[in-house]
Amino acid sequence: MGQVIAQKNTPPAIAASSQGSQQYLTFTLNAEVFAIGILNIKEIIEYGTLTEIPMMPAFIRGVINLRGAVVPVVDLSARFGGKPTAAARRTCIVIVEINQTVDDIDLRQDIGIVVDSVNEVLEIPPGDIEPPPSFGARIRADFIQGMGKVDGKFVIILNIDRVLSVDEMAQLAAVGGQASPQDEEQSG
């Protein structure tokens, strides 16, 4: 199991600035810098042993045992349609807490995401966040919450609820696990 690199100890009300700025964890994935709101992040752990689950979509890397809880781990690069992340010395798993409603039931799920490296925590004022581009991005537009301006460069701020939509990932897993109708016709 991986070593804990960082763990959130600050209550969300104190973590957010009183001026409306929000803090974001930035990380690198395929040489691009992305950001996630710090309020969604529980902890960051070193990339360790994963248990692979058969018949899962390629972007679900497996599960880890996080203090007795089974936590699915998503390969963000594969989720964005790229090649799977190759584990390296700085590869980390960011544990994100997702609250979603599926079939009128509120779910709280911890999900790990594999990133190439974690960079830093930045405070980005709302005035420095531009709307997501309608074209030219390498990932789905609905995955992007906004484009944060940091030191003259743009950082892609992810809409983590869309990226890690439990409902959508469950549908993709169900489709991946089913045989195609042609396969069923040929066998029957």
Side-chain angles (χ1 to χ4, degrees), residues 22-29 32-41 76 80 94 96 113 115 117-124 129 139 143-150 153-161 163:
Q22 187 175 349
Q23 292 182 321
Y24 296 90
L25 174 74
T26 61
F27 58 89
T28 305
L29 188 69
E32 287 191 77
V33 178
F34 294 92
I36 298 175
I38 198 89
L39 299 179
N40 292 97
I41 297 170
L76 213 49
F80 294 159
V94 179
V96 179
I113 57 174
V115 301
S117 65
V118 170
N119 299 339
E120 61 184 326
V121 173
L122 297 173
E123 193 164 317
I124 304 175
I129 298 175
I139 63 175
F143 287 172
I144 302 173
Q145 180 177 335
M147 304 293 289
K149 290 185 270 187
V150 179
K153 297 179 180 177
F154 279 110
V155 174
I156 300 170
I157 300 172
L158 295 175
N159 182 344
I160 203 67
D161 290 334
V163 173

Side-chain angles (χ1 to χ4, degrees), residues 1 31 57-58 63-64 67-68 73 84 86 107 112 119 123 127 137 144 152 155-156 171 176 181 188:
M1 178 52 50
V63 296
I64 58 171
R67 292 181 290 280
V73 176
L107 297 175
N119 299 339
E123 193 164 317
I144 302 173
V155 174
I156 300 170
Q171 290 174 358

Side-chain angles (χ1 to χ4, degrees), residues 53-164:
I53 308 292
M55 307 293 286
M56 286 285 119
F59 63 83
I60 297 180
R61 206 60 184 255
V63 296
I64 58 171
N65 180 347
L66 187 66
R67 292 181 290 280
V70 176
V71 176
V73 176
V74 172
D75 187 326
L76 213 49
S77 178
R79 175 74 171 134
F80 294 159
K83 62 182 180 183
T85 301
R89 191 175 61 85
R90 297 191 63 200
T91 302
C92 297
I93 298 174
V94 179
I95 306 296
V96 179
E97 186 178 84
I98 302 293
N99 293 308
Q100 294 183 342
T101 303
V102 177
D103 296 331
D104 297 328
I105 300 171
D106 290 329
L107 297 175
R108 190 187 71 77
Q109 173 74 49
D110 291 342
I111 297 176
I113 57 174
V114 178
V115 301
D116 290 340
S117 65
V118 170
N119 299 339
E120 61 184 326
V121 173
L122 297 173
E123 193 164 317
I124 304 175
D128 287 347
I129 298 175
E130 299 293 328
S134 57
F135 64 94
R138 294 184 196 162
I139 63 175
R140 283 177 25 191
D142 63 328
F143 287 172
I144 302 173
Q145 180 177 335
M147 304 293 289
K149 290 185 270 187
V150 179
D151 296 331
K153 297 179 180 177
F154 279 110
V155 174
I156 300 170
I157 300 172
L158 295 175
N159 182 344
I160 203 67
D161 290 334
R162 291 291 305 150
V163 173
L164 301 177

